[in-house]
Amino acid sequence: MILLANSLVSPGVGTIFWSALIFVLFLVVLTKFAWKPILSSVKARDEMIKGSLESAAKAREEMLKLQSDNEIILRKAREERENILKDAREVRDKLISEAKGKATEEAEKLVEKARVGIENQKLKALSEIHEQVATLSVDIASKLLGKKLKQSGEQAKLIDNYLNEIDLNKN
Amino acid sequence: MKTRILISFFLFFLIAGTTISSFGQEDKEKTATEGKFDASTFILDHIADSHEWHILTWKNGENVAIYLPVILYSKEKGLDVFSSKKLADGKEYKGYKIEEEGDLKGKIVTVNKEGTLDEKNLPLDFSMTKTVIGMLSAALIGLFLFLSLARSYKKSGISHPKGIQSFLEPVILFVRDDIAIPNLGADKYERYMPYLLSAFFFILINNLMGLIPFPPPFGANVTGNIALTFVLATCTFLITQFSGNKTYWKHIFFAPGVPFWLLPIMIPVEIIGLFSKPFALMIRLFANITAGHIIVLSLICLIFIFDSLAVAPVSIFFVIFMDFLELLVAFLQAYIFTLLSALFISMAVPEEHH
């Protein structure tokens, strides 16, 4: 049995030759026509999956960023609107108050002017009236005088009267 | 479900038992003339290489076998190619015969004109033996499998694996992700992938084919043949040495940190280490597969040793158990061989800064 086993552990030249030939051919043919294409397509697939996952993560990140950007923009826009509205309100209030002030002033001025005018006119009218009255009275007086003066004595009396009256008036 | 399994199990026992026992009777006829059944001869005959593929022996002693081509070369007679049928049953042809006894049992020897053995002029035997046919078939099956796999990859591009792809791709990825990359590193593994994959599948297919008992070309003890394991281990050895970088050789001939006076001891040790690694690879695969075949055959031989049909169910139960174990071993040994090859290669390509 030991002798027989001996043949088991002593490799035959022919078997080594055929083993080497078959294995090397197996290796060469498979390397060229099987392992290379198989491994490269497996690798390509792995890379594609990796790339897709990465780009998906990137897209998600970008979307989140965009979303937050949008929010910021929206918030800013809202703030802007608030500001603009506030400004507008202020301007309006200012305008209104200004206008009001001006109007009062103007009105006061107008009233003042009117009063001054009226005063002037009154004075003018009064002086005119004075004049008128004077002329009228002169006229009347002359008429009356014409009549009365015909009567003697009376003339001097009248003149004195008048003169007194005028003095009184003047006071 | 459970009962169905049980029934098929018993049915299998019944069929297997009857076939084996009838086969046993044939053998018994034959061995009856020689007296007791010689289990070790029977087993070793099945394990050893042979020039014919023996199938069965009829009751009248006639053999049914596939006769394989014999290719011989000797200095005197030149190249001779003929069928091994011409050498069957101890016949002599062109001065050659198959030795039946002694050291050279099973080998083709030259016979003198006087009819005696000429031990000095042994021919070089390049015959297509059982082992060669077995491994050739395994290689062809492997080629067919992987070439069609490559074709389906070309067809499907980088879409998800389907059909044969989904079956073989996980194994390929296993070799890549669990053997090559962890040992060789992600930057170096690609160069060695073709060898590792080829070795893995070559061993695996041969192991599995060796477990299937019938018909030829199944059932040959291919990976349990030391010539094949020698060739595979030599391939690993050569790849290791040729990819060895400066650091690797420096470690062998000028190991850093070793005192100068120790070098005369260290260098031979390192050189022995170079050879012992592939030697271990060779022996491990050979011994594991051969042992598996021996155990299965021994369990079957139990029937003939006890010369009783009653032993058959027990024997067959154990054979089935062993076959499952061997199925595991078939994968395991292919894995270990590839893993250790990757490890040895990785030892030859350490990082330069090391």
Side-chain angles (χ1 to χ4, degrees), chain A:
Chain A
M1 180 168 171
I2 292 162
L3 289 178
L4 287 170
N6 196 26
S7 80
L8 273 184
V9 291
S10 55
V13 182
T15 323
I16 290 178
F17 166 76
W18 286 112
S19 302
L21 186 73
I22 291 170
F23 181 67
V24 169
L25 279 178
F26 184 77
L27 176 65
V28 168
V29 172
L30 283 188
T31 301
K32 188 138 198 283
F33 298 108
W35 303 136
K36 291 237 163 101
I38 290 170
L39 288 174
S40 65
S41 50
V42 167
K43 204 175 174 188
R45 192 202 300 146
D46 282 359
E47 263 158 24
M48 201 198 75
I49 291 170
K50 211 173 134 199
S52 318
L53 284 178
E54 264 168 20
S55 62
K58 224 179 187 175
R60 203 180 306 127
E61 221 167 77
E62 225 142 84
M63 211 184 65
L64 281 178
K65 212 176 130 200
L66 272 180
Q67 240 168 21
S68 66
D69 277 5
N70 277 352
E71 237 156 65
I72 288 171
I73 289 171
L74 215 68
R75 213 173 50 222
K76 265 191 187 155
R78 216 173 282 137
E79 267 168 26
E80 199 92 338
R81 196 190 61 182
E82 290 289 296
N83 281 345
I84 289 171
L85 282 179
K86 215 171 103 193
D87 283 358
R89 212 177 290 127
E90 269 168 20
V91 167
R92 187 194 63 184
D93 288 351
K94 213 170 132 196
L95 273 180
I96 287 174
S97 63
E98 254 172 32
K100 254 186 198 161
K102 248 188 193 155
T104 353
E105 220 171 82
E106 205 77 359
E108 268 167 14
K109 246 187 213 164
L110 277 177
V111 170
E112 186 68 19
K113 226 177 177 176
R115 222 180 48 214
V116 171
I118 288 167
E119 199 68 24
N120 287 346
Q121 291 295 325
K122 199 179 89 184
L123 286 178
K124 219 170 145 189
L126 276 178
S127 68
E128 257 173 34
I129 287 169
H130 270 292
E131 241 170 71
Q132 206 82 23
V133 168
T135 23
L136 273 178
S137 35
V138 169
D139 277 357
I140 294 165
S142 58
K143 270 178 190 164
L144 279 174
L145 276 175
K147 253 183 211 173
K148 282 239 176 143
L149 283 176
K150 286 169 183 168
Q151 299 157 356
S152 55
E154 280 292 309
Q155 256 177 350
K157 217 173 126 190
L158 196 70
I159 287 167
D160 282 342
N161 266 354
Y162 276 137
L163 283 174
N164 286 340
E165 258 172 52
I166 286 163
D167 276 342
L168 280 172
N169 257 355
K170 282 232 169 130
N171 286 329

Side-chain angles (χ1 to χ4, degrees), chain A residues 14 18-19 35 43 45-46, chain B residues 125-126 135 169 176 190 198:
Chain A
W18 286 112
S19 302
W35 303 136
K43 204 175 174 188
R45 192 202 300 146
D46 282 359
Chain B
D125 187 355
F126 289 103
M135 81 175 79
E169 195 185 293
R176 189 189 68 175
E190 265 172 76
S198 301

